[in-house]
């Protein structure tokens, strides 16, 4: 990059802010990893999993280059797809980019019954793909409950109980 391009980049207030924030990433960035809705960058994650994995590695290694101790969370798929998770973990194992916090979304009513099975599947992937990595990942469902359940204490108890029952 030539000097003029560097000055142009630095003249942008947003870029300057980001550069300042990157000096103390733990203070300015939550440990969320790659979190973009499937429809924005990857149309249908099952069709874009290879591209997603490559993008994940790029972002993962960039964050770790600034803060090697950062706790990276992901992959944050909007739906639980066993095949995508298996491919994701296999890729991450092979490319040294396993997340320290495993996340996904459960936003449909059927997840009240399906969560235990999903968690069991993810734990089996952890046994396979995290073996020998030195990482003991945490599990976090970072988007949960139906829209109509939010703000209604009765239905929310159902959601909270499935995570408590499964020590998540």
């Amino acid at each position: 990059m030539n000097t003029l391009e560097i000055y142009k980049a630095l003249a942008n207030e947003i870029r300057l802010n980001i550069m300042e924030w990157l000096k103390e990433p733990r203070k300015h960035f939550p440990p969320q990893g790659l979190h973009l809705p499937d429809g924005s960058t990857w149309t249908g994650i099952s069709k874009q999993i290879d591209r997603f994995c490559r993008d994940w590695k790029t972002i993962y290694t960039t964050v770790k280059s600034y803060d090697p101790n950062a706790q990276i969370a992901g992959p944050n798929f909007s739906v639980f797809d066993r095949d995508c998770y298996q491919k994701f973990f296999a890729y991450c194992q092979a490319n040294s980019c396993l997340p320290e916090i495993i996340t996904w979304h459960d936003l449909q009513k059927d997840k009240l019954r399906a969560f235990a099975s999903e968690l069991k599947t993810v734990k089996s992937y952890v046994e396979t793909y995290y073996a020998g990595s030195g990482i003991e990942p945490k599990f976090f469902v970072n988007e949960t409950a139906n829209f109509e359940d939010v703000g209604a204490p009765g239905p929310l108890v159902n959601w909270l109980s499935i995570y408590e029952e499964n020590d998540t």
Side-chain angles (χ1 to χ4, degrees), residues 30-74:
Q32 196 56 203
L34 190 56
H35 181 81
L36 296 170
D38 294 351
S40 66
T41 303
W42 303 275
T43 305
I45 194 65
S46 63
K47 296 175 187 168
Q48 297 286 330
I49 189 64
D50 294 333
R51 180 173 164 223
F52 178 91
C53 289
R54 288 190 306 272
D55 291 348
W56 168 268
K57 179 166 174 48
T58 299
I59 292 170
Y60 182 98
T61 55
T62 301
V63 170
K64 290 289 191 176
S65 73
Y66 284 99
D67 184 358
N69 298 313
Q71 297 279 299
I72 307 295

Side-chain angles (χ1 to χ4, degrees), residues 156-168:
L156 284 179
V157 169
N158 295 318
W159 292 97
L160 296 173
S161 68
I162 64 171
Y163 304 125
E164 187 174 319
E165 289 169 3
N166 290 282
D167 195 30
T168 312

Side-chain angles (χ1 to χ4, degrees), residues 116-164:
S117 173
E118 292 174 355
L119 183 61
K120 183 178 178 182
T121 298
V122 171
K123 285 183 175 183
S124 74
Y125 294 151
V126 166
E127 287 179 21
T128 301
Y129 297 109
Y130 280 72
S133 71
I135 299 171
E136 293 184 32
K138 299 173 190 162
F139 302 97
F140 184 66
V141 180
N142 61 342
E143 289 188 25
T144 188
N146 290 316
F147 180 74
E148 64 269 11
D149 293 345
V150 176
L156 284 179
V157 169
N158 295 318
W159 292 97
L160 296 173
S161 68
I162 64 171
Y163 304 125
E164 187 174 319

Side-chain angles (χ1 to χ4, degrees), residues 97-115:
C97 57
L98 290 163
E100 289 85 6
I101 304 166
I102 299 171
T103 62
W104 67 92
H105 302 174
D106 274 337
L107 298 167
Q108 303 85 16
K109 284 273 191 204
D110 69 315
K111 300 304 180 179
L112 289 169
R113 284 189 239 64
F115 177 74

Side-chain angles (χ1 to χ4, degrees), residues 3-18:
T3 305
L4 180 59
E5 289 175 353
I6 292 170
Y7 289 138
K8 285 180 183 178
L10 293 175
N12 181 307
E13 182 179 357
I14 293 170
R15 289 185 179 142
L16 281 172
N17 287 339
I18 291 170

